[in-house]
Amino acid sequence: MADKPVILITGASSGIGAETARAAAKQGYRLVLAARSQAKLAGLREELGGPDKVLTVQCDVQNGDDQQRMVSQALDTFGRIDAVFANAGRGGKPGGFSEADPEVWKDMILTNILGVGLTIQHCLPALRESKGHLLLTGSAAGRTTIPGSMYSASKWAVSAIGYGVREELRGSGIRVTLIEPGMVDTPFFDEPPGHALKPADVANAVMYAIAQPAHVDVNEILVRPTPAVE
């Protein structure tokens, strides 16, 4: 068991994070699962093998102390981190730039941008040691212009973070992958979208990138639902 690789996933309690945990467990990974509510992770821990295989950590990604504790607990428990999936994020609300609630903006920006940056900063020492893999949840919304969308702006920032950290880490042996899904049917939405990817589809993209040999660095995966048949 001690030689099994370890993946750390933020935003792991539901949606893309939870499905990636399931997919990684099937591939033999030990799991560090982080979310704001540790209670929501308990069922997933038992489903995927219990405490010998799964560490759950309460972590608000906006909080640097939480993130440092997350990494410390991971290393204390499993001794290594081979892959990090900085997946925690949140969406916005209607209103555009004219009428949206700025407090919603603030929480979203701190989660989607600062949170990703803090995950990278605190996990990099362990990834340098393992010559591991860093994956970030961007979005198709970070590749196009969406009128009035601060969410899109935050995901443009994640794209920029991915490009920037890849250059910073060039020659380190650490691979960096941006995972950029289109519409996904997750608890992200109050009303389920009618035509969307499933979280497992995105998890498959994550595991494809991780599964490549060390000399192959999948920089970006942009994945959208197939257009509806007319």
Side-chain angles (χ1 to χ4, degrees):
M1 177 66 69
D3 62 340
K4 296 291 186 181
V6 176
I7 184 170
L8 182 154
I9 304 170
T10 65
S13 61
S14 63
I16 292 168
E19 287 301 323
T20 302
R22 293 184 177 101
K26 289 178 182 177
Q27 297 297 321
Y29 277 81
R30 293 176 290 171
L31 308 173
V32 180
L33 306 181
R36 287 184 178 184
S37 173
Q38 191 169 9
K40 292 182 179 179
L41 296 169
L44 199 57
R45 178 182 60 208
E46 297 313 307
E47 173 191 343
L48 299 179
D52 288 342
K53 297 181 180 179
V54 183
L55 170 68
T56 60
V57 183
Q58 188 281 325
C59 179
D60 179 349
V61 295
Q62 298 180 19
N63 186 304
D65 290 340
D66 277 9
Q67 297 240 31
Q68 182 58 62
R69 185 164 53 250
M70 171 185 72
V71 173
S72 295
Q73 289 184 31
L75 294 176
D76 288 346
T77 302
F78 294 133
R80 59 194 282 186
I81 300 173
D82 299 280
V84 172
F85 185 25
N87 169 68
R90 62 153 299 175
K93 296 291 184 182
F97 291 106
S98 302
E99 299 177 0
D101 181 351
E103 288 303 310
V104 173
W105 279 351
K106 181 178 179 180
D107 187 50
M108 179 177 63
I109 290 168
L110 289 175
T111 299
N112 293 3
I113 304 175
L114 177 66
V116 168
L118 289 173
T119 299
I120 293 169
Q121 188 171 79
H122 288 290
C123 290
L124 274 184
L127 288 177
R128 288 185 187 278
E129 185 70 22
S130 65
K131 292 183 170 56
H133 199 149
L134 172 66
L135 305 102
L136 314 178
T137 297
S139 174
R143 296 278 297 266
T144 190
T145 300
I146 299 177
S149 176
M150 186 65 84
Y151 172 76
S152 176
S154 76
K155 289 301 185 177
W156 274 95
V158 174
S159 297
I161 290 169
Y163 300 153
V165 74
R166 184 180 298 116
E167 290 307 309
E168 179 180 349
L169 296 176
R170 185 176 293 277
S172 69
I174 299 173
R175 298 184 291 177
V176 178
T177 303
L178 274 164
I179 304 292
E180 299 167 320
M183 190 75 73
V184 183
D185 184 2
T186 72
F188 209 69
F189 298 99
D190 294 331
E191 296 292 333
H195 184 66
L197 299 166
K198 300 298 184 185
D201 301 326
V202 185
N204 288 340
V206 173
M207 297 312 298
Y208 167 80
I210 291 175
Q212 300 311 300
H215 71 282
V216 176
D217 186 2
V218 179
N219 288 185
E220 297 181 67
I221 299 180
L222 175 62
V223 54
R224 293 187 173 106
T226 303
V229 176
E230 297 179 358

